[in-house]
Amino acid sequence: MSLSMKKWISTKTEPLTKENEALFQFRRTKIVSTLGPATNTEEKIGELVDAGVNVFRLNFSHGDHEYHGKVIDNIHKVMATKRKTYCAVMLDTKGPEIRTGLNAEGKDISVKKGQQLILTTDDEFNGKGNNEKIYVDYKNITKVLSIGKRVLIDDGLVGCEVVSIGDDHLVTKVLNDGELGSRKGVNLPGIKVDLPAVTERDRKDLLFGRDNNVDFVAASFIRKPEDVNEIRKVLGRRGAHIKIISKIENAEGIHNFDAILEVSDGIMVARGDMGVEIPLEKVALAQKMMIAKCNVAGKPVITATQMLESMVHNPRPTRAEANDVANAVMDGSDAVMLSGETAKGAYPIKAVKTMAKICVSAESSLEYNEMYNNIRSSTLSAEGMRSLSITETIASSAVKVTMEVDAKFLLTITETGNTAMLCSKYRPAPPIFAITQVDRTARQLALVWGVRPVLVETVIGTDGVIRREIMIQMNEGRLKENDCYVVTCGNKEGVSGHTNMLKISYANQIN
């Protein structure tokens, strides 16, 4: 927990009832925004950037390559006009999912509690779905299920219990009244499925993303570490720079979480399918577990799904949704995500601004010293009290120093972004200015908690690079003459993996 009971008890009540605009000058938690029909134009993308979006998510469950290529071009055009602002592009794969087929005449069908519903894998029945029989596209469903097991359709809106099993069909009993449209998702709670980690469609999408310079791949339905390795194999050497964010969406993924985290570049807590695949009351516990383990590993974690869902139609979120975002921030999320709210919603810009305000307000309650101590002790415990790398030792020490000298900024010179990510891991209160000469690094650091990427032509001449950035911050009023700042860098300029220096200085000493 980020706040001790002692601090909550001593919290003054008056600030809780007033909005403080001064808070919103710096937000540590990043925002991932899904683009769709409501926001895929240059104009709307620009407005989203101005509202606070850090990463643009493209959902490859919808749209073809021509469509996504145009959206990526729009993002690049907009970002070329945004000085000192860096946003990443995330390709979210469709993944190996199970769906129902098409209904007869494309119409929704009604099912009643207690009735019989046959789920068939016979391709001849695709397109003929009715209230007695529907098609399911997973051929081995009759092999992995047994009598008494449940099948949940359309995010669990319709539940069925298996009564008998044939060679190419299941006979089920419907557990509740409901409406079923075509091509709805099917979940098999607690069942290990033998679907491929990368479908043929995913393979084509991944290669398209590689060729179109995406920064992240959000890999859907990751169940085991081998799934991540398969995606890396598809991306190949040309796509080795793309960071893989594993989406944990089912029981198997949760069971194998430690091994998945080890081979992933980050994690998405994808609560949609997860809330159907595992007991609903366990989702919050799984979320907290995954966030904590990502924090200790120093890998970014995104909390996603239905965070401000009511803003698809309404200009204000529900109180429960606002609390959900705040709790995700207090849990330690690097980023929070908007899906339908910005893809198809009526208030996409307002949704981003609302989420940004909630994030900053929640961050104002964080106990940074306590977070630092918790992460450091957990890291040493996880490492079996072995010594840390030199880079992590410098990063950890730099964050500790920022607290002890009340530094206003932490500046790091970074080639790959690794040093900035390690500084972020230990959760400093001041912003981390990550100065890099690599544009891809600047974009990928847009996802990392507390980091403000700064792209420069060269990092050769470290003292001059730092001097220019401090002057910029002073000219823009963020730094005063007597303010202290901390710097991490390496004695080998422009060479990655050699961070071994920590400096403490004052703004009035830059000359």
Side-chain angles (χ1 to χ4, degrees):
M1 187 175 182
S2 56
L3 268 182
S4 65
M5 183 177 290
K6 183 178 179 181
K7 179 163 183 177
W8 280 124
I9 292 172
S10 63
T11 297
K12 294 182 179 179
T13 56
E14 185 177 357
L16 297 178
T17 63
K18 296 181 179 179
E19 191 168 279
N20 182 0
E21 289 297 333
L23 278 177
F24 304 113
Q25 294 178 359
F26 172 55
R27 171 171 47 84
R28 299 162 181 83
T29 309
K30 303 307 179 70
I31 295 176
V32 180
S33 169
T34 305
L35 293 180
T39 49
N40 56 25
T41 64
E42 288 183 48
E43 179 185 2
K44 286 296 183 182
I45 291 169
E47 290 180 31
L48 289 171
V49 174
D50 293 340
V53 168
N54 304 103
V55 179
F56 287 109
R57 169 180 174 256
L58 305 180
N59 186 355
F60 273 63
S61 292
H62 310 286
D64 57 19
H65 288 176
E66 181 181 3
Y67 166 79
H68 288 296
K70 288 179 180 177
V71 176
I72 291 172
D73 286 344
N74 287 345
I75 295 170
H76 291 160
K77 288 176 183 176
V78 170
M79 296 316 301
T81 69
K82 299 290 182 181
R83 184 170 173 264
K84 298 183 181 179
T85 301
Y86 305 96
C87 291
V89 176
M90 176 182 290
L91 183 162
D92 197 322
T93 64
K94 183 175 183 291
E97 58 185 358
I98 306 171
R99 287 192 176 271
T100 63
L102 299 173
N103 295 334
E105 300 178 3
K107 295 180 178 179
D108 288 1
I109 58 175
S110 297
V111 293
K112 300 295 182 181
K113 179 180 178 180
Q115 76 162 75
Q116 176 180 289
L117 181 65
I118 296 174
L119 310 182
T120 180
T121 60
D122 182 359
D123 293 332
E124 291 295 321
F125 206 77
N126 190 5
K128 303 175 182 178
N130 56 52
N131 64 352
E132 295 180 351
K133 188 175 184 179
I134 61 174
Y135 173 76
V136 177
D137 64 5
Y138 178 38
K139 297 297 183 182
N140 285 349
I141 195 169
T142 57
K143 297 178 182 178
V144 301
L145 287 178
S146 57
I147 293 173
K149 294 297 184 180
R150 289 183 306 149
V151 178
L152 301 179
I153 306 172
D154 194 9
D155 284 338
L157 295 180
V158 174
C160 303
E161 182 180 314
V162 179
V163 175
S164 65
I165 302 174
D167 290 338
D168 65 351
H169 69 276
L170 304 170
V171 178
T172 72
K173 179 177 72 175
V174 177
L175 300 177
N176 60 279
D177 295 352
E179 298 285 324
L180 284 178
S182 299
R183 299 289 299 153
K184 295 301 180 181
V186 176
N187 295 92
L188 311 177
I191 300 299
K192 287 187 177 182
V193 297
D194 53 0
L195 292 168
V198 181
T199 66
E200 185 56 34
R201 174 172 173 173
D202 290 337
R203 189 178 302 276
K204 292 177 181 177
D205 290 346
L206 289 167
L207 295 178
F208 171 84
R210 182 191 69 183
D211 294 341
N212 284 270
N213 205 28
V214 302
D215 303 295
F216 296 98
V217 164
S220 296
F221 299 104
I222 294 296
R223 292 165 285 157
K224 51 191 183 298
E226 291 80 7
D227 296 349
V228 183
N229 295 334
E230 181 65 22
I231 290 171
R232 291 201 192 280
K233 190 180 299 183
V234 173
L235 292 172
R237 291 181 61 184
R238 285 179 54 201
H241 61 276
I242 298 173
K243 305 286 188 183
I244 298 176
I245 308 296
S246 293
K247 295 172 66 178
I248 307 301
E249 307 184 65
N250 53 35
E252 190 175 357
I254 292 172
H255 292 157
N256 295 323
F257 182 75
D258 290 349
I260 292 171
L261 176 59
E262 187 172 346
V263 299
S264 302
D265 298 305
I267 294 292
M268 183 185 292
V269 183
R271 303 176 303 177
D273 280 277
M274 186 192 301
V276 181
E277 291 275 345
I278 71 172
L280 192 62
E281 66 273 15
K282 298 295 180 69
V283 172
L285 305 182
Q287 172 178 318
K288 291 177 185 295
M289 175 274 290
M290 287 187 276
I291 291 174
K293 289 188 174 184
C294 287
N295 289 167
V296 173
K299 296 185 178 183
V301 54
I302 305 165
T303 301
T305 318
Q306 297 180 330
M307 303 214 78
L308 297 178
E309 181 74 7
S310 66
M311 290 194 76
V312 170
H313 304 292
N314 302 321
R316 287 171 62 86
T318 67
R319 293 9 169 212
E321 288 169 343
N323 280 348
D324 182 36
V325 174
N327 280 320
V329 172
M330 294 177 186
D331 284 345
S333 300
D334 283 74
V336 284
M337 193 172 96
L338 295 166
S339 299
E341 301 96 328
T342 53
K344 61 180 182 180
Y347 305 95
I349 310 304
K350 194 163 188 177
V352 174
K353 290 181 178 179
T354 299
M355 180 170 267
K357 283 192 171 186
I358 296 169
C359 289
V360 176
S361 181
E363 289 166 3
S364 70
S365 73
L366 297 177
E367 282 278 17
Y368 294 95
N369 188 61
E370 184 178 327
M371 288 195 298
Y372 172 86
N373 290 330
N374 287 341
I375 291 172
R376 181 166 174 78
S377 62
S378 297
T379 299
L380 292 174
S381 176
E383 292 291 327
M385 295 306 291
R386 298 197 304 270
S387 60
L388 301 176
S389 68
I390 292 176
T391 301
E392 182 158 1
T393 299
I394 293 293
S396 170
S397 300
V399 173
K400 181 67 173 176
V401 167
T402 63
M403 294 185 287
E404 293 178 346
V405 302
D406 190 27
K408 303 305 179 186
F409 293 115
L410 198 171
L411 279 75
T412 178
I413 309 294
T414 184
E415 187 82 6
T416 63
N418 183 52
T419 304
M421 289 180 65
L422 286 171
C423 289
S424 171
K425 169 181 174 176
Y426 290 95
R427 296 306 198 242
I432 304 164
F433 282 83
I435 302 173
T436 182
Q437 61 188 5
V438 183
D439 57 355
R440 183 186 302 118
T441 297
R443 294 194 306 270
Q444 290 177 335
L445 286 174
L447 179 64
V448 181
W449 187 97
V451 174
R452 284 189 173 182
V454 177
L455 185 63
V456 296
E457 291 185 3
T458 179
V459 294
I460 303 300
T462 299
D463 290 342
V465 171
I466 293 169
R467 186 182 302 111
R468 283 190 293 274
E469 186 57 34
I470 293 301
M471 287 296 296
I472 289 171
Q473 299 307 320
M474 291 181 70
N475 291 338
E476 294 182 356
R478 297 194 187 96
L479 199 63
K480 298 175 182 175
E481 284 193 1
N482 294 324
D483 285 343
C484 179
Y485 63 92
V486 175
V487 178
T488 71
C489 55
N491 60 349
K492 294 185 178 180
E493 295 182 339
V495 180
S496 63
H498 286 81
T499 299
N500 58 2
M501 296 172 63
L502 191 159
K503 299 179 181 179
I504 308 168
S505 191
Y506 287 89
N508 58 14
Q509 297 176 346
I510 61 170
N511 293 323

